[in-house]
Amino acid sequence: MSAHDQAAAAILAQVALAADGAILGLALAYVAVRSFIRLSSTSSALRQIDQSPSFRVSDLRSLLSPSSDDESDQSTSSDGLLVVVRGTVEAKSAIDGNWKSLRPNVLVSHESGEKGVILQRTQTCIYNEWRGFFGWTSDIRTLFARSWKEKESTSLRTVPFILVEGGRWPQSDYVIVNMDGSRHPLPLTTVYHQLQPVNASPYTFLQALFGHDYPVGLLDEEKLLPLGKEITAVGICSLKNGIPEIKSCKDLPYFLSEMSKDQMVVDLVFKSKVLFWSGVILGSVSIGVLGYAVVRNWNRWKEWRQQRGVRPPSQAVTDDTDTQIAEDDAGDVPDGELCVICLMRRKRSAFVPCGHLVCCQRCALSVERELSPKCPVCRQIIRSSVRIYGS
């Protein structure tokens, strides 16, 4: 680890341990709360997928067709039904009666030539990690500007496609896949992957000298959903113009997946266990850290209050002090014997340990009650004051 990384780690550690670990405790508590929130959504998705029926493509039309003598079937058909369907990817144009070409309305990879219904192309710019002779500028940019910089560009193209039962021809039974509004991960297959180096220039040398990032390579990838791939669709299925159509459900983590229903259930059960125990462990640690921080800060606050608080004298001492102060105020006091603070009463109290006799008894008590009592002459810290009696 470089010196800059060590300094950054030390700063983060100081921030995390600020206020006796209160910041660290709050951060752990936030992560624990987030874990329980995600656990709630994951458990809900697990129940929905586990309880949703699994059908073949050929069974959807009879399931969703409205019945004249059953009103509940009509409501189910209009609102949709959460189902799990497994089928084979096929272009929608294959059942539209268009025989002008063998595979009309499909996407073709520019590099590999493979055909599919979803094509994603990603270009990632890879930057150097050398900090140069003035690499501290790169550390500052890492904290503030690195997340703003675009390093990846992605383009996604789709064409209408359907799911059919594999091995059956012609495909009289099918379900249309509606991708509108879906933000779920897609079961894409990588068909092209190449890293192209970027040629250096004189300007690149200056960038490296001052620690600025400069590109060293361009990673080009192409992924597609190929025709004939068997996938599982989990979503809301309904009839549209008499044809089954399935669309994504935003409450579920899956829409199109290579996993079967049983594999999805197993995966969600594992995620639920991980989220539960991570929330319990992080929550327990955060409670311990916050409790320790609260106790330490409470004790510090009490010590500060005790040091700053007024120590109440007994009634006898108070009466004696008032009587002595009244006696000091009686008569004229020479200028050389006046208190250096109030300039009204006679010098009667000497400070310990410096021994300076410069204050009256009332001002000496006021000095003692300060948070950091110091002698007004030598500025030495004092412990108490002593009443001096003349002969």
Side-chain angles (χ1 to χ4, degrees), residues 16-88:
L17 298 178
D20 293 321
I23 303 299
L24 177 61
L26 291 175
L28 292 176
Y30 173 78
V31 177
V33 171
R34 293 287 299 176
S35 297
F36 283 114
I37 293 176
R38 293 182 59 188
L39 173 63
S40 176
S41 61
T42 303
S43 300
S44 176
L46 174 61
R47 288 192 300 269
Q48 295 184 56
I49 294 179
D50 191 26
Q51 297 174 1
S52 61
S54 180
F55 295 102
R56 296 186 303 173
V57 176
S58 58
D59 298 332
L60 289 177
R61 191 182 299 271
S62 59
L63 174 70
L64 300 174
S65 59
S67 177
S68 58
D69 55 354
D70 193 352
E71 295 181 357
S72 62
D73 289 342
Q74 294 179 0
S75 61
T76 303
S77 176
S78 60
D79 297 337
L81 180 66
L82 182 63
V83 297
V84 179
V85 182
R86 189 163 183 87
T88 304

Side-chain angles (χ1 to χ4, degrees), residues 333-385:
V333 181
D335 293 341
E337 297 182 8
L338 287 175
C339 171
V340 298
I341 295 179
C342 65
L343 298 177
M344 295 176 56
R345 291 176 290 274
R346 192 185 302 273
K347 301 176 183 178
R348 290 295 187 186
S349 295
F351 293 114
V352 179
C354 66
H356 285 115
L357 178 63
V358 292
C359 294
C360 64
Q361 194 169 2
R362 180 177 295 179
C363 293
L365 291 175
S366 299
V367 172
E368 285 185 62
R369 294 166 183 167
E370 293 179 357
L371 183 61
S372 179
K374 295 181 180 180
C375 174
V377 176
C378 64
R379 307 306 296 169
Q380 182 180 350
I381 296 178
I382 62 174
R383 294 195 299 268
S384 61
S385 62

